[in-house]
Amino acid sequence: MDSWIWWLLAAVGLGIPLVITAMPEFAMFAIGAGAAALTAALGAGVVPQFLVFVAVSVALLVFVRPIAYRQLQNGPAIKTGIEALEGATAVVQEKVDGEGGRIKLNGEIWSARALHPGSVYEPGQQVDVVEIQGATALVV
């Protein structure tokens, strides 16, 4: 069997733990094995194949890995829970003033209070949720 086939088998073999563990390092080694397979297919000897495998794998580990981990740590800012409710629009169900009231927020009835004590919101009026304090939404 040609050596390029062995390198492709090595690349596939390194891809399996990548899928199982989701560790990007295995992808970098698999790409290195793919580059070595290409080198073997072009007719290079065993030593150049191994050197290409090591060089490509190490280069990816040194240059790409830090960028990948930085992206994984930063990730997209997905708001969940109470943070997702802040800034949402709600409909007043019972008069809301500085003392209290009720709003319908994301299909649920919430207790609410006007952010500014002098403000009054009548039923049917749309308000914006500024903050959630406990089980009470502060609205404007």
Side-chain angles (χ1 to χ4, degrees):
M1 201 178 327
D2 292 336
S3 61
W4 67 270
I5 294 174
W6 288 108
W7 282 111
L8 284 180
L9 289 173
V12 170
L14 288 164
I16 292 170
L18 167 67
V19 172
I20 293 171
T21 64
M23 291 179 60
E25 290 84 357
F26 285 111
M28 296 172 196
F29 288 123
I31 292 170
L38 181 63
T39 304
L42 293 174
V46 174
V47 172
Q49 293 171 28
F50 184 74
L51 290 175
V52 166
F53 169 71
V54 170
V56 169
S57 297
V58 168
L60 288 171
L61 284 172
V62 169
F63 296 110
V64 176
R65 183 178 179 268
I67 296 169
Y69 273 101
R70 208 171 313 128
Q71 290 299 319
L72 285 174
Q73 288 175 350
N74 292 342
I78 298 173
K79 293 182 177 181
T80 58
I82 292 174
E83 294 172 348
L85 299 175
E86 293 174 355
T89 302
V91 178
V92 176
Q93 298 294 305
E94 296 175 12
K95 183 173 97 171
V96 176
D97 55 18
E99 298 296 317
R102 300 247 181 245
I103 60 170
K104 189 168 195 173
L105 176 61
N106 287 349
E108 298 177 348
I109 302 296
W110 279 71
S111 60
R113 189 174 68 241
L115 180 64
H116 307 293
S119 300
V120 176
Y121 305 102
E122 296 299 327
Q125 201 174 355
Q126 285 193 344
V127 292
D128 293 322
V129 177
V130 176
E131 184 181 346
I132 303 289
Q133 288 183 345
T136 303
L138 298 180
V139 298
V140 291

